[in-house]
Amino acid sequence: GEFREYIAEKFRILASCGPDFIWVDDDFKLKNHGGMEICFCPECIGKFNRKYGLSESFETVTQSLFRDANGELSRKWTDFSVDNLTEVAHTIREAVDSVCPDIQMGMMTVPDDHFPEDVLCFEKWMGALRAEKGRPGSGFYTDATPTNILPKFLFCEYQLAHYPPSVSDRQYEVENFPAQDYTKAKTVTRM
């Protein structure tokens, strides 16, 4: 629909600038978008209903999903959402290819640790993007508790373990944002 064409146009514009590579941001994930799932628009609910032969209204589907977070309907919704994002990844790759198929793609990853489904999707999503680059991430945005870097290291390794072999350029996310003058110490990023 309109949203996919919007995404495609943005990536065609990026590709027309002639970069060596393009990163897909780490918001490309199933959940944890400010408390929201990827999409509950009427168009996606309609596609979901058609896929599973349901005739539920938008309100009924969304209420059922929120009431029964671990039930059969929620598992179907997760599967649908994974497929939906895989299609978006194909749309992105096709848009870039239409301008210059030689541009490498990278995917930044940072699934929420409460939603491990994202990690299991890396192969599908990175495959659809034909990603050669990957950047695992996780939150360590302030140095108030320096030992919090340890869970981040472990979580990044967990993500890397689920990257497909085609992703040979693997880069670590370092949080040394220039906008956070009083939250990051120079010594921590030198470890």
Side-chain angles (χ1 to χ4, degrees), residues 6 31 94 102 128 176 183:
Y6 172 82
K31 301 180 183 180
E94 288 170 1
D102 294 333
N176 54 356
T183 60

Side-chain angles (χ1 to χ4, degrees), residues 5-190:
E5 181 48 39
Y6 172 82
I7 295 291
E9 182 60 17
K10 295 299 176 195
F11 278 90
R12 282 192 290 269
I13 291 169
L14 283 171
S16 71
C17 295
D20 293 330
F21 56 87
I22 296 174
W23 287 102
V24 173
D25 189 66
D26 59 16
D27 286 318
F28 194 99
K29 57 188 173 184
L30 290 172
K31 301 180 183 180
N32 201 11
H33 296 278
M36 296 295 295
E37 302 246 357
I38 63 165
C39 187
F40 280 117
C41 75
E43 184 177 338
C44 283
I45 296 293
K47 285 173 64 176
F48 175 73
N49 282 341
R50 287 188 296 280
K51 179 174 182 171
Y52 292 105
L54 304 172
S55 59
E56 307 284 341
S57 70
F58 172 79
E59 291 78 12
T60 302
V61 171
T62 54
Q63 288 171 6
S64 296
L65 287 169
F66 284 114
R67 269 196 318 272
D68 187 22
N70 295 314
E72 182 181 350
L73 188 66
S74 289
R75 281 190 295 280
K76 287 179 178 178
W77 180 255
T78 297
D79 291 344
F80 170 80
S81 297
V82 168
D83 292 344
N84 215 8
L85 278 178
T86 303
E87 290 174 20
V88 172
H90 278 293
T91 298
I92 291 169
R93 184 71 244 191
E94 288 170 1
V96 171
D97 285 350
S98 73
V99 176
C100 180
D102 294 333
I103 295 174
Q104 289 184 344
M105 296 297 294
M107 185 173 180
M108 300 176 177
T109 59
V110 62
D112 188 289
D113 56 354
H114 300 293
F115 305 113
E117 300 97 337
D118 282 338
V119 174
L120 303 176
C121 301
F122 290 165
E123 193 160 348
K124 283 184 176 187
W125 297 340
M126 290 175 153
L129 289 168
R130 290 195 330 267
E132 298 174 46
K133 298 175 177 293
R135 192 241 48 201
S138 180
F140 178 62
Y141 304 116
T142 76
D143 295 339
T145 309
T147 55
N148 284 346
I149 201 168
L150 299 175
K152 181 198 171 105
F153 286 150
L154 293 173
F155 199 53
C156 286
E157 285 299 317
Y158 176 66
Q159 292 169 71
L160 287 170
H162 289 85
Y163 279 13
S166 59
V167 178
S168 58
D169 185 348
R170 299 168 179 215
Q171 303 177 23
Y172 174 75
E173 173 196 37
V174 177
E175 298 90 354
N176 54 356
F177 311 119
Q180 298 198 129
D181 293 338
Y182 302 109
T183 60
K184 300 300 290 182
K186 290 179 183 177
T187 55
V188 173
T189 57
R190 291 184 187 148

